[in-house]
Amino acid sequence: MSLDRLAPIGLAELVERASLLERVDRKYVVPRALLPDLLAAAPTGTRVLELDGRRTHGYRSVYLDTPDLASYRVAGQRRRRRWKVRSRAYLDSGGSWLEVKTRSAREVTTKVRMPHPDLEAAALDDAGASFVDASLAGARVDGVRARDLRPVLATSYDRATLLLPGTRPTRVTVDTELGWTWLAAHDGPTSRDLDRPALAIVETKGGSTPSSMDRLLWARGHRPVSISKYGVGVAALHDVPRLKWHRVLARDLGVSAAPYPHEGILL
């Protein structure tokens, strides 16, 4: 991905300068083949997260939802109080966290987290359940309790994280080797998978003002899209209404209108 020319930044400095647990996100789906040109045009002073000599890092997320997929539905119907509960495993370092993401009526994303094992390997422990309940209540999400949640979907990808220069901190993540697996065993076969190795998801995370990376993407004909790894994964692999993700699935991810038709398909 042409990351070698960028100066490195360590995790502690990145968090100090741009933790951005409250932020405005903009997401773009781009062909992976275009990443070298995009990264070559990044502004002077852009730095890339480097850990133990690695500049890309493997991630695995396991999402929890209610039996009626309340998290999926409130996001897809653009409700005011949206939420996600997931574990995120850092495959290179071995760490794993429990995360609760919420989005307010002002479209501001807030993320809180605590150490916790991968949610497919281990159920929510008492501390994790209390953390989820307190986080959702604090975000004024009503009617959802940790005891109602179950593993639904796993996503995996490789991520590079950039810090753009400037007085207003902006992080950019570049996700490749995108893959999804359906986990809700009693809903049907457990082997339903979707893979998109030829695509990348670029996400800018900063303030309300567009960043230099946003402007680079716009100049190359890319516009922000309404995409959630969880949302498109559920819509592609389960027989549910596709809600606001129907267009990005067909146009950007190449998924047909039939429910979960492409087991293991590669683009």
Side-chain angles (χ1 to χ4, degrees), residues 169-203:
T170 299
R171 286 165 63 175
V172 178
T173 57
V174 182
D175 295 344
T176 55
E177 302 297 341
L178 304 167
W180 294 260
T181 299
W182 184 252
L183 298 177
H186 66 272
D187 290 334
T190 59
S191 60
R192 297 203 296 267
D193 296 303
L194 183 73
D195 298 292
R196 290 296 182 265
L199 298 176
I201 296 176
V202 179
E203 183 173 357

mmCIF file of all heavy atoms in Angstrom, residues 169-203:
data_model
loop_
_atom_site.group_PDB
_atom_site.id
_atom_site.type_symbol
_atom_site.label_atom_id
_atom_site.label_comp_id
_atom_site.label_asym_id
_atom_site.label_seq_id
_atom_site.Cartn_x
_atom_site.Cartn_y
_atom_site.Cartn_z
ATOM 1 N N PRO A 169 -6.485 17.252 14.906
ATOM 2 C CA PRO A 169 -6.080 15.876 14.660
ATOM 3 C C PRO A 169 -7.106 15.112 13.824
ATOM 4 O O PRO A 169 -8.308 15.208 14.049
ATOM 5 C CB PRO A 169 -5.964 15.279 16.061
ATOM 6 C CG PRO A 169 -6.859 16.122 16.914
ATOM 7 C CD PRO A 169 -6.776 17.501 16.333
ATOM 8 N N THR A 170 -6.615 14.400 12.820
ATOM 9 C CA THR A 170 -7.456 13.544 11.999
ATOM 10 C C THR A 170 -6.752 12.213 11.811
ATOM 11 O O THR A 170 -5.591 12.174 11.392
ATOM 12 C CB THR A 170 -7.741 14.160 10.623
ATOM 13 O OG1 THR A 170 -8.428 15.406 10.785
ATOM 14 C CG2 THR A 170 -8.604 13.239 9.775
ATOM 15 N N ARG A 171 -7.444 11.153 12.146
ATOM 16 C CA ARG A 171 -6.943 9.821 11.864
ATOM 17 C C ARG A 171 -7.621 9.289 10.614
ATOM 18 O O ARG A 171 -8.777 9.599 10.326
ATOM 19 C CB ARG A 171 -7.224 8.878 13.036
ATOM 20 C CG ARG A 171 -6.329 9.144 14.216
ATOM 21 C CD ARG A 171 -6.817 8.487 15.482
ATOM 22 N NE ARG A 171 -6.844 7.033 15.424
ATOM 23 C CZ ARG A 171 -7.146 6.269 16.469
ATOM 24 N NH1 ARG A 171 -7.437 6.823 17.633
ATOM 25 N NH2 ARG A 171 -7.155 4.961 16.357
ATOM 26 N N VAL A 172 -6.878 8.474 9.873
ATOM 27 C CA VAL A 172 -7.410 7.811 8.690
ATOM 28 C C VAL A 172 -7.101 6.329 8.825
ATOM 29 O O VAL A 172 -5.950 5.960 9.086
ATOM 30 C CB VAL A 172 -6.787 8.362 7.392
ATOM 31 C CG1 VAL A 172 -7.341 7.617 6.174
ATOM 32 C CG2 VAL A 172 -7.038 9.858 7.268
ATOM 33 N N THR A 173 -8.105 5.489 8.683
ATOM 34 C CA THR A 173 -7.864 4.052 8.671
ATOM 35 C C THR A 173 -8.103 3.524 7.264
ATOM 36 O O THR A 173 -9.019 3.971 6.549
ATOM 37 C CB THR A 173 -8.761 3.308 9.667
ATOM 38 O OG1 THR A 173 -10.132 3.589 9.393
ATOM 39 C CG2 THR A 173 -8.435 3.733 11.096
ATOM 40 N N VAL A 174 -7.263 2.570 6.871
ATOM 41 C CA VAL A 174 -7.359 1.928 5.559
ATOM 42 C C VAL A 174 -7.469 0.432 5.803
ATOM 43 O O VAL A 174 -6.512 -0.203 6.253
ATOM 44 C CB VAL A 174 -6.136 2.248 4.682
ATOM 45 C CG1 VAL A 174 -6.297 1.616 3.307
ATOM 46 C CG2 VAL A 174 -5.934 3.759 4.560
ATOM 47 N N ASP A 175 -8.642 -0.130 5.519
ATOM 48 C CA ASP A 175 -8.912 -1.537 5.798
ATOM 49 C C ASP A 175 -8.911 -2.339 4.507
ATOM 50 O O ASP A 175 -9.605 -1.984 3.537
ATOM 51 C CB ASP A 175 -10.270 -1.701 6.491
ATOM 52 C CG ASP A 175 -10.301 -1.064 7.873
ATOM 53 O OD1 ASP A 175 -9.225 -0.769 8.411
ATOM 54 O OD2 ASP A 175 -11.410 -0.862 8.400
ATOM 55 N N THR A 176 -8.150 -3.436 4.496
ATOM 56 C CA THR A 176 -8.062 -4.327 3.347
ATOM 57 C C THR A 176 -8.287 -5.768 3.812
ATOM 58 O O THR A 176 -8.444 -6.030 4.999
ATOM 59 C CB THR A 176 -6.695 -4.200 2.662
ATOM 60 O OG1 THR A 176 -5.656 -4.441 3.636
ATOM 61 C CG2 THR A 176 -6.492 -2.799 2.076
ATOM 62 N N GLU A 177 -8.288 -6.708 2.859
ATOM 63 C CA GLU A 177 -8.554 -8.133 3.155
ATOM 64 C C GLU A 177 -9.865 -8.279 3.922
ATOM 65 O O GLU A 177 -9.965 -8.958 4.940
ATOM 66 C CB GLU A 177 -7.393 -8.753 3.939
ATOM 67 C CG GLU A 177 -6.051 -8.677 3.237
ATOM 68 C CD GLU A 177 -6.015 -9.449 1.922
ATOM 69 O OE1 GLU A 177 -6.873 -10.326 1.694
ATOM 70 O OE2 GLU A 177 -5.124 -9.165 1.096
ATOM 71 N N LEU A 178 -10.910 -7.660 3.393
ATOM 72 C CA LEU A 178 -12.196 -7.580 4.079
ATOM 73 C C LEU A 178 -12.927 -8.916 4.033
ATOM 74 O O LEU A 178 -13.075 -9.524 2.965
ATOM 75 C CB LEU A 178 -13.067 -6.510 3.412
ATOM 76 C CG LEU A 178 -12.454 -5.101 3.324
ATOM 77 C CD1 LEU A 178 -13.266 -4.236 2.367
ATOM 78 C CD2 LEU A 178 -12.376 -4.458 4.696
ATOM 79 N N GLY A 179 -13.409 -9.378 5.205
ATOM 80 C CA GLY A 179 -14.150 -10.625 5.250
ATOM 81 C C GLY A 179 -15.217 -10.605 6.331
ATOM 82 O O GLY A 179 -15.059 -9.952 7.370
ATOM 83 N N TRP A 180 -16.326 -11.329 6.084
ATOM 84 C CA TRP A 180 -17.449 -11.416 7.016
ATOM 85 C C TRP A 180 -17.872 -12.872 7.177
ATOM 86 O O TRP A 180 -17.861 -13.637 6.208
ATOM 87 C CB TRP A 180 -18.662 -10.642 6.494
ATOM 88 C CG TRP A 180 -18.524 -9.164 6.390
ATOM 89 C CD1 TRP A 180 -18.993 -8.225 7.271
ATOM 90 C CD2 TRP A 180 -17.927 -8.406 5.322
ATOM 91 N NE1 TRP A 180 -18.721 -6.955 6.824
ATOM 92 C CE2 TRP A 180 -18.054 -7.031 5.630
ATOM 93 C CE3 TRP A 180 -17.285 -8.756 4.128
ATOM 94 C CZ2 TRP A 180 -17.584 -6.028 4.795
ATOM 95 C CZ3 TRP A 180 -16.797 -7.759 3.301
ATOM 96 C CH2 TRP A 180 -16.952 -6.408 3.641
ATOM 97 N N THR A 181 -18.275 -13.265 8.390
ATOM 98 C CA THR A 181 -18.787 -14.612 8.645
ATOM 99 C C THR A 181 -20.016 -14.519 9.535
ATOM 100 O O THR A 181 -19.985 -13.852 10.573
ATOM 101 C CB THR A 181 -17.722 -15.489 9.339
ATOM 102 O OG1 THR A 181 -16.578 -15.603 8.486
ATOM 103 C CG2 THR A 181 -18.273 -16.890 9.626
ATOM 104 N N TRP A 182 -21.095 -15.205 9.145
ATOM 105 C CA TRP A 182 -22.325 -15.241 9.935
ATOM 106 C C TRP A 182 -22.154 -16.232 11.072
ATOM 107 O O TRP A 182 -21.685 -17.348 10.875
ATOM 108 C CB TRP A 182 -23.491 -15.632 9.034
ATOM 109 C CG TRP A 182 -24.819 -15.597 9.723
ATOM 110 C CD1 TRP A 182 -25.585 -16.656 10.098
ATOM 111 C CD2 TRP A 182 -25.531 -14.425 10.117
ATOM 112 N NE1 TRP A 182 -26.740 -16.224 10.705
ATOM 113 C CE2 TRP A 182 -26.735 -14.856 10.731
ATOM 114 C CE3 TRP A 182 -25.267 -13.052 10.018
ATOM 115 C CZ2 TRP A 182 -27.677 -13.959 11.238
ATOM 116 C CZ3 TRP A 182 -26.209 -12.164 10.524
ATOM 117 C CH2 TRP A 182 -27.389 -12.613 11.119
ATOM 118 N N LEU A 183 -22.542 -15.845 12.289
ATOM 119 C CA LEU A 183 -22.304 -16.664 13.475
ATOM 120 C C LEU A 183 -23.564 -17.208 14.124
ATOM 121 O O LEU A 183 -23.470 -18.106 14.971
ATOM 122 C CB LEU A 183 -21.541 -15.851 14.534
ATOM 123 C CG LEU A 183 -20.160 -15.348 14.156
ATOM 124 C CD1 LEU A 183 -19.587 -14.510 15.297
ATOM 125 C CD2 LEU A 183 -19.230 -16.495 13.807
ATOM 126 N N ALA A 184 -24.723 -16.681 13.806
ATOM 127 C CA ALA A 184 -25.957 -17.067 14.501
ATOM 128 C C ALA A 184 -26.385 -18.449 14.022
ATOM 129 O O ALA A 184 -27.152 -18.591 13.073
ATOM 130 C CB ALA A 184 -27.048 -16.031 14.262
ATOM 131 N N ALA A 185 -25.903 -19.512 14.706
ATOM 132 C CA ALA A 185 -26.020 -20.872 14.209
ATOM 133 C C ALA A 185 -27.465 -21.305 13.998
ATOM 134 O O ALA A 185 -27.783 -21.969 13.015
ATOM 135 C CB ALA A 185 -25.322 -21.827 15.179
ATOM 136 N N HIS A 186 -28.370 -20.928 14.898
ATOM 137 C CA HIS A 186 -29.736 -21.427 14.760
ATOM 138 C C HIS A 186 -30.507 -20.730 13.648
ATOM 139 O O HIS A 186 -31.636 -21.097 13.350
ATOM 140 C CB HIS A 186 -30.487 -21.290 16.092
ATOM 141 C CG HIS A 186 -30.721 -19.886 16.516
ATOM 142 N ND1 HIS A 186 -29.821 -19.174 17.259
ATOM 143 C CD2 HIS A 186 -31.762 -19.044 16.289
ATOM 144 C CE1 HIS A 186 -30.300 -17.954 17.502
ATOM 145 N NE2 HIS A 186 -31.463 -17.861 16.919
ATOM 146 N N ASP A 187 -29.903 -19.726 13.006
ATOM 147 C CA ASP A 187 -30.548 -19.073 11.880
ATOM 148 C C ASP A 187 -30.240 -19.760 10.556
ATOM 149 O O ASP A 187 -30.666 -19.304 9.505
ATOM 150 C CB ASP A 187 -30.098 -17.604 11.783
ATOM 151 C CG ASP A 187 -30.649 -16.775 12.926
ATOM 152 O OD1 ASP A 187 -31.704 -17.156 13.461
ATOM 153 O OD2 ASP A 187 -30.024 -15.780 13.296
ATOM 154 N N GLY A 188 -29.474 -20.830 10.574
ATOM 155 C CA GLY A 188 -29.142 -21.517 9.331
ATOM 156 C C GLY A 188 -27.694 -21.961 9.345
ATOM 157 O O GLY A 188 -27.075 -22.041 10.406
ATOM 158 N N PRO A 189 -27.119 -22.246 8.177
ATOM 159 C CA PRO A 189 -25.739 -22.730 8.109
ATOM 160 C C PRO A 189 -24.777 -21.740 8.750
ATOM 161 O O PRO A 189 -24.957 -20.524 8.658
ATOM 162 C CB PRO A 189 -25.487 -22.853 6.598
ATOM 163 C CG PRO A 189 -26.847 -22.967 5.993
ATOM 164 C CD PRO A 189 -27.759 -22.157 6.862
ATOM 165 N N THR A 190 -23.749 -22.264 9.396
ATOM 166 C CA THR A 190 -22.787 -21.389 10.072
ATOM 167 C C THR A 190 -21.617 -21.008 9.174
ATOM 168 O O THR A 190 -20.745 -20.266 9.601
ATOM 169 C CB THR A 190 -22.243 -22.087 11.324
ATOM 170 O OG1 THR A 190 -21.611 -23.314 10.934
ATOM 171 C CG2 THR A 190 -23.349 -22.371 12.310
ATOM 172 N N SER A 191 -21.590 -21.503 7.941
ATOM 173 C CA SER A 191 -20.426 -21.295 7.093
ATOM 174 C C SER A 191 -20.626 -20.197 6.060
ATOM 175 O O SER A 191 -19.900 -20.119 5.092
ATOM 176 C CB SER A 191 -20.065 -22.604 6.371
ATOM 177 O OG SER A 191 -21.141 -23.033 5.558
ATOM 178 N N ARG A 192 -21.644 -19.364 6.236
ATOM 179 C CA ARG A 192 -21.878 -18.310 5.260
ATOM 180 C C ARG A 192 -20.807 -17.239 5.397
ATOM 181 O O ARG A 192 -20.651 -16.629 6.454
ATOM 182 C CB ARG A 192 -23.275 -17.715 5.457
ATOM 183 C CG ARG A 192 -24.389 -18.734 5.231
ATOM 184 C CD ARG A 192 -25.690 -18.047 4.872
ATOM 185 N NE ARG A 192 -26.201 -17.201 5.935
ATOM 186 C CZ ARG A 192 -27.075 -17.618 6.842
ATOM 187 N NH1 ARG A 192 -27.482 -18.865 6.852
ATOM 188 N NH2 ARG A 192 -27.533 -16.775 7.761
ATOM 189 N N ASP A 193 -20.091 -17.002 4.314
ATOM 190 C CA ASP A 193 -18.976 -16.068 4.321
ATOM 191 C C ASP A 193 -19.076 -15.131 3.136
ATOM 192 O O ASP A 193 -19.660 -15.455 2.092
ATOM 193 C CB ASP A 193 -17.632 -16.805 4.245
ATOM 194 C CG ASP A 193 -17.379 -17.688 5.447
ATOM 195 O OD1 ASP A 193 -17.391 -17.163 6.567
ATOM 196 O OD2 ASP A 193 -17.189 -18.904 5.259
ATOM 197 N N LEU A 194 -18.467 -13.955 3.294
ATOM 198 C CA LEU A 194 -18.341 -12.977 2.223
ATOM 199 C C LEU A 194 -16.943 -12.408 2.302
ATOM 200 O O LEU A 194 -16.483 -12.020 3.386
ATOM 201 C CB LEU A 194 -19.380 -11.857 2.402
ATOM 202 C CG LEU A 194 -19.432 -10.772 1.328
ATOM 203 C CD1 LEU A 194 -20.055 -11.326 0.049
ATOM 204 C CD2 LEU A 194 -20.241 -9.572 1.827
ATOM 205 N N ASP A 195 -16.231 -12.360 1.173
ATOM 206 C CA ASP A 195 -14.865 -11.842 1.125
ATOM 207 C C ASP A 195 -14.734 -10.848 -0.014
ATOM 208 O O ASP A 195 -15.265 -11.080 -1.108
ATOM 209 C CB ASP A 195 -13.856 -12.986 0.924
ATOM 210 C CG ASP A 195 -13.885 -13.982 2.053
ATOM 211 O OD1 ASP A 195 -13.480 -13.615 3.170
ATOM 212 O OD2 ASP A 195 -14.338 -15.123 1.833
ATOM 213 N N ARG A 196 -14.020 -9.750 0.247
ATOM 214 C CA ARG A 196 -13.811 -8.714 -0.762
ATOM 215 C C ARG A 196 -12.339 -8.271 -0.770
ATOM 216 O O ARG A 196 -12.013 -7.146 -0.381
ATOM 217 C CB ARG A 196 -14.741 -7.516 -0.496
ATOM 218 C CG ARG A 196 -16.219 -7.814 -0.772
ATOM 219 C CD ARG A 196 -16.427 -8.106 -2.248
ATOM 220 N NE ARG A 196 -17.819 -8.343 -2.589
ATOM 221 C CZ ARG A 196 -18.392 -9.538 -2.671
ATOM 222 N NH1 ARG A 196 -17.678 -10.614 -2.366
ATOM 223 N NH2 ARG A 196 -19.645 -9.669 -3.039
ATOM 224 N N PRO A 197 -11.424 -9.120 -1.224
ATOM 225 C CA PRO A 197 -10.002 -8.760 -1.200
ATOM 226 C C PRO A 197 -9.606 -7.674 -2.191
ATOM 227 O O PRO A 197 -8.533 -7.087 -2.055
ATOM 228 C CB PRO A 197 -9.308 -10.087 -1.532
ATOM 229 C CG PRO A 197 -10.326 -10.860 -2.306
ATOM 230 C CD PRO A 197 -11.646 -10.491 -1.707
ATOM 231 N N ALA A 198 -10.444 -7.400 -3.187
ATOM 232 C CA ALA A 198 -10.104 -6.383 -4.181
ATOM 233 C C ALA A 198 -10.565 -4.988 -3.786
ATOM 234 O O ALA A 198 -10.337 -4.029 -4.530
ATOM 235 C CB ALA A 198 -10.712 -6.748 -5.537
ATOM 236 N N LEU A 199 -11.208 -4.861 -2.616
ATOM 237 C CA LEU A 199 -11.726 -3.574 -2.175
ATOM 238 C C LEU A 199 -11.052 -3.131 -0.884
ATOM 239 O O LEU A 199 -10.481 -3.934 -0.148
ATOM 240 C CB LEU A 199 -13.239 -3.656 -1.949
ATOM 241 C CG LEU A 199 -14.101 -3.982 -3.165
ATOM 242 C CD1 LEU A 199 -15.562 -4.114 -2.749
ATOM 243 C CD2 LEU A 199 -13.943 -2.918 -4.245
ATOM 244 N N ALA A 200 -11.140 -1.843 -0.609
ATOM 245 C CA ALA A 200 -10.662 -1.266 0.655
ATOM 246 C C ALA A 200 -11.718 -0.297 1.170
ATOM 247 O O ALA A 200 -12.467 0.304 0.388
ATOM 248 C CB ALA A 200 -9.332 -0.544 0.458
ATOM 249 N N ILE A 201 -11.771 -0.171 2.486
ATOM 250 C CA ILE A 201 -12.609 0.848 3.122
ATOM 251 C C ILE A 201 -11.682 1.862 3.763
ATOM 252 O O ILE A 201 -10.866 1.525 4.630
ATOM 253 C CB ILE A 201 -13.541 0.232 4.175
ATOM 254 C CG1 ILE A 201 -14.531 -0.725 3.520
ATOM 255 C CG2 ILE A 201 -14.309 1.337 4.918
ATOM 256 C CD1 ILE A 201 -15.437 -1.450 4.499
ATOM 257 N N VAL A 202 -11.782 3.099 3.311
ATOM 258 C CA VAL A 202 -10.998 4.206 3.860
ATOM 259 C C VAL A 202 -11.941 5.043 4.711
ATOM 260 O O VAL A 202 -13.019 5.436 4.262
ATOM 261 C CB VAL A 202 -10.380 5.070 2.742
ATOM 262 C CG1 VAL A 202 -9.594 6.236 3.337
ATOM 263 C CG2 VAL A 202 -9.480 4.219 1.849
ATOM 264 N N GLU A 203 -11.520 5.310 5.943
ATOM 265 C CA GLU A 203 -12.368 6.069 6.859
ATOM 266 C C GLU A 203 -11.577 7.209 7.471
ATOM 267 O O GLU A 203 -10.480 7.009 7.991
ATOM 268 C CB GLU A 203 -12.906 5.157 7.966
ATOM 269 C CG GLU A 203 -13.855 5.851 8.926
ATOM 270 C CD GLU A 203 -14.500 4.885 9.900
ATOM 271 O OE1 GLU A 203 -14.250 3.665 9.802
ATOM 272 O OE2 GLU A 203 -15.253 5.366 10.773
#
